[in-house]
């Protein structure tokens, strides 16, 4: 029963990605990758196609290299962006630049 729910959330995350709802997709991926869920040993029997979907989504929304894979997604259509990426950019911009100009 837990495995079927886990697979269902993988499919929901995949559909959210196809609908370009990136923020909700990353929220579900974060839940699936949490320590409490990943410690469960019942998820060894996931079908290969669902596991490959999960691996692909984790690769796309990986925070490595400043979310480079997410930033390289096609920008032609409207989407709900990952809010955390923009908040991270604002924080790094604020922290990385001085508040005063040298005279």
């Amino acid at each position: 029963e837990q495995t079927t729910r886990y697979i269902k959330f993988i499919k929901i995350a995949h559909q959210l990605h196809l609908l370009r709802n990136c923020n909700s997709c990353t929220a579900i991926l974060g839940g699936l990758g949490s320590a409490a869920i990943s410690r469960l040993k019942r998820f060894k029997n996931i079908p290969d196609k669902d596991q490959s979907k999960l691996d692909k989504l984790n690769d796309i929304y990986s925070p490595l290299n400043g979310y480079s894979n997410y930033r390289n997604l096609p920008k032609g259509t409207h989407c709900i962006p990952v809010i955390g990426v923009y908040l991270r950019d604002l924080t790094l911009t604020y922290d990385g630049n001085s508040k005063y100009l040298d005279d």
Side-chain angles (χ1 to χ4, degrees):
E1 185 178 342
Q2 289 179 347
T3 304
T4 58
R5 289 182 185 169
Y6 188 80
I7 292 170
K8 183 174 183 173
F9 276 107
I10 293 172
K11 291 179 181 180
I12 291 171
H14 185 258
Q15 287 299 316
L16 287 170
H17 173 72
L18 294 177
L19 292 171
R20 311 273 300 163
N21 188 342
C22 302
N23 196 48
S24 296
C25 183
T26 56
I28 289 179
L29 291 175
L32 292 175
S34 69
I37 300 298
S38 62
R39 277 186 293 199
L40 296 173
K41 298 186 183 346
R42 297 181 183 170
F43 300 129
K44 305 289 186 202
N45 300 330
I46 298 173
D48 290 338
K49 69 174 190 167
D50 293 324
Q51 185 63 44
S52 67
K53 284 181 189 178
L54 180 62
D55 292 340
K56 181 180 175 186
L57 289 174
N58 280 328
D59 185 48
I60 290 172
Y61 296 106
S62 172
L64 298 176
N65 299 323
Y67 292 91
S68 63
N69 293 337
Y70 167 72
R71 292 177 194 267
N72 291 331
L73 288 176
K75 304 287 188 242
T77 60
H78 298 290
C79 71
I80 299 173
V82 179
I83 303 301
V85 173
Y86 295 106
L87 292 176
R88 181 176 182 258
D89 290 345
L90 287 172
T91 301
L92 291 175
T93 302
Y94 180 77
D95 290 342
N97 295 310
S98 61
K99 295 179 184 167
Y100 302 103
L101 296 175
D102 294 334
D103 289 332

